[in-house]
Structure formats: structure tokens, C-alpha cells
Amino acid sequence: MKRAGSDAAVLKPAEHKSEGFKIYDTLSREISAVSASNGEFVRIYCCGPTVYRDAHVGNLRTFLLADLVQRTLAFAGVKSQLVQNITDVGHMSEDFEEDKIIAQSKLEKKDPFSVAREYEARFHQDCRALNIRAADSYPRASECIDLMIDSITKLIADGLAYQGEDGSVYFDAARFPSYGALSGNRLDALKPGHRYEFTEGGAKRFHADWALWKAAGSRSEMIWDTPWGRGFPGWHIECSAMSLKYLAGKVDLHIGGIDLRFPHHEDERAQSNSLIPGGGEAVTLWLHGEHLLFEGRKMSKSSGNVVLLSDVIARGIDPLAIRFCFMENRYRSQMDLSWSSIQAAHLTLERWRKSYQSWLKSPANLSERVNQLIAEIASAFNNDLDTPRAMISLRGIERGELEDGEKRALFEALDPLFGLDLLKQREAKRLTKEAEALLEKRKAARANRDFKLSDQVRDQLSLLGIEVRDTSEGQEWSWKIN
Ligand code: AMP
Ligand code: ZN
């Protein structure tokens, strides 16, 4: 369990009275107070990555949202518990032909579980590089199959789910009267043929029903035995089963990207509300982050404009420059990222850290106006994560008229809230002459089809902290993330 203020500032600012943390709730469409229903800690669930590829910085923008929520609560002395699932089975590709992980495992000629574990490890690396605090648990879908079987068994017993002629088990959407409340869709207005994660010719009773469990058919990997035969889980049931189990039957705040609002979260709400005793909402508040665009278009693999954190690092840019850019924009607005804004953020961060080092000559001074500024910034975070306003204040502090000791005290007090590592000197890594020569040597070895030499050089580069990959466009390299 996270302890409040576990990474408290070097200096403790004077007690500031928190007016309470509020966010925009997608279900009620209102700004609503975040609170701990058990009176002890706020229970948070954030939909995690599908581990068939590296998370792009758009995905990371959504994962950062959970971190900003946790830091805001911790700063006000409120405890929280965060669960984030790892989707390593059941998420079908856009054309619904194949499980994303299995499709990737065929491409990489590897076992699907090893593909999943590899990308999961890289997801954790990326989160660390962005100072995203670790969740309290990361349950994997493939290791929670029993939980899903229990949930589906209960839904069938209660008459909310049924097995179709094709052997798959479906949720009976018409049995959940408030279906559509989250996304604004109405069941009777949904057109037949709308995609619901799977194509299944006529086995569903109603076109809006969705698969909780999918019969294996010809699939031979990532399948399990169940009372309804061999198969694999649907993506939506995974999040209901895991959130209710790991957060003891109640989610105070559920987080995800805006594209998950429908159908993923709509279906999850129907399942979870049907699974908890006594009716009511299993999730109190739904928080959705808007999409990241890159150079004008939504960042996605299909748009071909994906930027990875390793691409940022490979350019010698501090990965926290990405965090900086995200915080300059409100989570609820689409934001357009570009290399020039990332570069500018990098330079500002460098300057702020240098400034902080120069203020160290003066003793930290927690004056009254310093406490006032801390309270104002905390209140911006509390106000539906108004991080752009908080960033403007921080800029003002660095450039403003305060004494050095006051500026020092402010940076020290606020660093745990912003998570920008303002108190450390961080050097951007540049390629050494030796590394440049080795990269050239490897390129030449590959051109000569001398793969033995190219593998040797790859190992030498690895010792220098450089990772090389061979793509259709040739050799690419990046710094390994620690
Ligand atoms: P996935 O790994 O595809 O399951 O997605 C992980 C998270 O990233 C989900 O919460 C998505 O809603 C979110 N997401 C996907 N694309 C973007 C984007 N361009 N900007 C922000 N969040 C995104
Ligand atoms: Zn989910």
C-alpha cells in the first residue's frame, strides 16, 4: 500500500488546507470530488498496456494520468492504491482476426508469452523514465483466468450471460437497462454490425451483446479449459474481474484513454455493476484522458506517426521533457506534440535544474509567500488537474523576484508533486567517438553479410549502454533505459 507523502519534500511546507481533489467524471458529466469510499485510501484502477509492442508516448500520456492523480492525493496527505492490468491475452486486432499478442509472436517467431513479457518489461522501463510511480499491483490477464471464469459463471447463473451456438459466452446487453450511460450510446440506436471486438456469425442473440469468453475454434495457443469448453477470455471481462478482485469490490476512480470509453468501459461497467452485490455503481468516477496527436494526427500505429520514448532518448533528449510537455497541456484536451516542443521543454528543464543548483548557496526559506504559492499550485492540481496553470506558476517562480532561498524552498517542496527531477543535475548523453565508430563498423559488417562480426559489435555497443536494432530502413540505435 502506498503511504501518503512517501516521497515528501526535503523541507515540509506549512500545513496547507486542501480544498479537496476534483476531476471531471465521464459518467455524471460533472466535476466531482475524489474520495476514499473505505475512509482510508482511494482505490484506483488504470487500464494498462496491451503488451504486443512498445507503448508509444500517446499511451504514456494516459498512464501519466494515474501518476498525476496519485501525486496530487499524496501531496494533500491522502493515501491511494493503484492497480494496473497487463493485457497479455484477449485483445483482438482491429480487424478482429487475431489476438494482438499471437499475431506479433508470429511476426517475431517467438512464443506469445515471451513476446508479452518482453514488452511488459519495456513498459515498466518507460514508466520509470517518465517518473511514473509504480502501481501497487500489475495483474496479468493470463494469470487471472480463474477470476474471469468465476465472474462469467456468476453472470450466467444470474441470467445476464448465455452460451451461443458457437460455444462462446456472451453478455446479454438488453438485460442491463442503463447500458450506454457512460458513452451516451443508446442500445436501441446502436446499429447492427457495430464492431464488438469479435466477429461471430449469428451466435449472439442481439448485435450489441459481446463475448465474455470466446470458444477456441482453430486457435491452439493461449487457450484454457472452462465449464464451457476450451477458449480464451474477452478483453472487457478482464478489467471487471481484476479491478473487483484487486480493489476488494469497489473502484473509487477508474482511468483510461478516451477511446476506451466505448465499448471497453461501457461493457466493463455493465459487467462490474452486475457482479457486485446490492446493485449500484462498482466504479464511482470515470476519468478519461484525451488523445495525443503528433504533428496534427492522432498518434497510433495505424497512422504511422508513433514516437517511442526510446526515440526521444536516442536524440539525446531527457525523457522528462515529454512529461514536461504533457503537463503543459490539460489532460482533457487533445494535444499536439512536435519535436520542437520536446526540444524546448528539454532546454527549459536544463535551465531550471541549473538555476536550482545556483540557489543552493542560500538556505531554504519557507516564508509566508512561499507557502502561499505552494497552496496555489496544489489547488491547481486539485482543480481537475490544471497542470498548465501549475506549470505557468513554476515558470514564474524560476524567473520571478523571490529570494534565492525562497525559490529553493519552492522547488524542494514542489518537486514530488511535479515529478520533474528538478533537484538533480542530469546530463544529456551524447555518443562518444568510440560508439560512433562501432556503429559504423557494425553497419559495414552487415553490408558485407559478416553477421558474426556484427553480433560481436552489437555486444560491444551494449556494454556502452547502446541498443541496436535492424529494421527495413537499416540499423537503428537507442540508449538503453535504466
Ligand atoms: P493499449 O496498449 O493499446 O491497450 O492502450 C493503452 C492506453 O493508451 C489506453 O488507455 C488507450 O486509451 C491509450 N491511448 C491509445 N492511443 C493514445 C493516444 N494517441 N493518446 C493518448 N492515449 C492513447
Ligand atoms: Zn481495461
Side-chain angles (χ1 to χ4, degrees):
M1 196 79 36
K2 286 237 149 65
R3 301 216 61 81
S6 53
D7 45 7
V10 178
L11 276 163
K12 270 258 166 237
E15 284 281 297
H16 70 268
K17 265 257 154 277
S18 165
E19 74 274 36
F21 178 30
K22 298 192 179 71
I23 55 97
Y24 178 81
D25 168 36
T26 310
L27 182 61
S28 64
R29 290 151 179 78
E30 280 173 2
I31 301 286
S32 312
V34 177
S35 63
S37 54
N38 64 7
E40 280 186 53
F41 50 88
V42 180
R43 284 176 275 181
I44 307 169
Y45 186 85
C46 180
C47 287
T50 308
V51 282
Y52 69 107
R53 46 114 174 90
D54 284 318
H56 56 62
V57 295
N59 303 130
L60 292 170
R61 183 185 188 203
T62 298
F63 302 146
L64 177 69
L65 200 45
D67 178 69
L68 293 174
V69 164
Q70 282 210 298
R71 284 177 188 266
T72 305
L73 289 168
F75 201 72
V78 180
K79 292 179 199 170
S80 58
Q81 182 189 4
L82 173 65
V83 174
Q84 186 164 32
N85 63 306
I86 302 290
T87 301
D88 59 356
V89 66
H91 198 164
M92 307 303 271
S93 62
E94 307 310 318
D95 52 13
F96 309 125
E97 298 232 319
E98 202 161 28
D99 193 301
K100 291 185 177 194
I101 314 273
I102 295 181
Q104 185 64 23
S105 78
K106 286 185 183 156
L107 280 178
E108 295 189 22
K109 298 191 174 54
K110 285 186 191 154
D111 167 68
F113 285 104
S114 71
V115 167
R117 298 298 171 262
E118 212 171 284
Y119 288 111
E120 180 185 332
R122 291 155 81 107
F123 153 74
H124 289 304
Q125 277 185 350
D126 285 346
C127 288
R128 277 197 296 277
L130 273 191
N131 274 354
I132 292 175
R133 292 161 58 142
D136 294 85
S137 46
Y138 291 102
R140 293 176 180 139
S142 67
E143 291 169 0
C144 295
I145 299 294
D146 286 347
L147 286 179
M148 295 183 227
I149 292 175
D150 289 350
S151 302
I152 298 168
T153 303
K154 180 168 179 350
L155 292 172
I156 294 175
D158 293 347
L160 291 152
Y162 60 91
Q163 186 165 24
E165 280 164 19
D166 59 354
S168 297
V169 180
Y170 298 97
F171 190 96
D172 193 344
R175 296 289 317 276
F176 187 72
S178 69
Y179 188 84
L182 189 61
S183 58
N185 285 304
R186 286 200 354 254
L187 209 48
D188 55 3
L190 281 169
K191 290 191 182 58
H194 194 292
R195 306 172 325 177
Y196 280 89
E197 306 300 316
F198 305 104
T199 47
E200 61 268 41
K204 294 193 281 189
R205 286 183 192 157
F206 181 53
H207 61 262
D209 297 350
W210 63 92
L212 299 168
W213 190 264
K214 191 74 185 150
S218 58
R219 175 162 155 167
S220 60
E221 291 172 293
M222 292 185 141
I223 48 174
W224 290 264
D225 286 321
T226 71
W228 327 287
R230 200 165 271 195
F232 59 96
W235 176 36
H236 315 312
I237 193 65
E238 165 192 334
C239 285
S240 286
M242 293 198 245
S243 62
L244 294 178
K245 166 73 181 178
Y246 286 89
L247 293 171
K250 179 74 195 172
V251 183
D252 295 319
L253 182 64
H254 194 305
I255 302 173
I258 193 73
D259 56 314
L260 300 190
R261 188 175 45 172
F262 184 84
H264 185 55
H265 289 164
E266 194 68 66
D267 293 356
E268 187 185 328
R269 176 174 171 267
Q271 296 159 173
S272 298
N273 285 8
S274 305
L275 285 167
I276 56 167
E281 296 289 341
V283 174
T284 307
L285 301 174
W286 292 88
L287 177 61
H288 287 108
E290 254 298 347
H291 277 142
L292 177 74
L293 316 183
F294 193 76
E295 291 167 348
R297 281 174 312 135
K298 179 189 159 187
M299 183 173 287
S300 68
K301 210 173 167 185
S302 51
S303 306
N305 62 350
V306 157
V307 175
L308 306 181
L309 209 55
S310 54
D311 298 331
V312 174
I313 295 167
R315 291 184 180 221
I317 298 174
D318 181 344
L320 290 177
I322 293 287
R323 183 178 176 109
F324 187 109
C325 291
F326 290 168
M327 290 178 73
E328 287 211 302
N329 289 270
R330 194 73 169 273
Y331 78 89
R332 239 181 334 128
S333 309
Q334 285 193 345
M335 75 167 275
D336 199 4
L337 192 66
S338 63
W339 283 115
S340 60
S341 57
I342 302 171
Q343 194 68 50
H346 172 87
L347 293 176
T348 307
L349 267 179
E350 269 188 351
R351 197 187 69 232
W352 285 5
R353 290 181 186 134
K354 249 193 216 136
S355 299
Y356 172 74
Q357 294 300 320
S358 73
W359 304 330
L360 285 177
K361 291 184 210 97
S362 311
N365 176 9
L366 272 168
S367 64
E368 204 165 306
R369 57 181 174 172
V370 163
N371 277 308
Q372 178 61 30
L373 279 165
I374 292 172
E376 275 173 33
I377 288 177
S379 133
F381 275 83
N382 279 330
N383 175 25
D384 193 21
L385 295 174
D386 192 350
T387 54
R389 207 182 90 201
M391 291 293 278
I392 289 170
S393 301
L394 203 56
R395 275 183 193 276
I397 290 166
E398 194 252 347
R399 288 200 182 274
E401 300 299 308
L402 296 166
E403 292 165 15
D404 283 1
E406 290 178 306
K407 291 182 179 180
R408 172 182 174 179
L410 276 161
F411 266 41
E412 287 173 0
L414 293 168
D415 198 42
L417 184 56
F418 285 83
L420 288 169
D421 280 358
L422 299 174
L423 316 185
K424 290 185 197 152
Q425 276 176 307
R426 289 162 58 113
E427 289 289 317
K429 289 206 248 172
R430 310 233 178 271
L431 272 186
T432 59
K433 289 259 169 294
E434 180 197 4
E436 271 174 12
L438 283 171
L439 283 169
E440 280 309 313
K441 187 172 171 188
R442 186 170 181 280
K443 215 195 281 176
R446 285 189 65 78
N448 295 332
R449 306 189 64 76
D450 186 347
F451 298 115
K452 194 163 166 230
L453 178 62
S454 100
D455 285 350
Q456 275 169 7
V457 180
R458 176 204 295 271
D459 293 343
Q460 285 172 283
L461 285 160
S462 177
L463 291 174
L464 298 176
I466 294 164
E467 193 169 53
V468 271
R469 287 180 180 222
D470 299 304
T471 71
S472 50
E473 268 117 62
Q475 169 179 290
E476 287 181 0
W477 69 272
S478 59
W479 293 110
K480 289 202 270 183
I481 304 172
N482 300 314

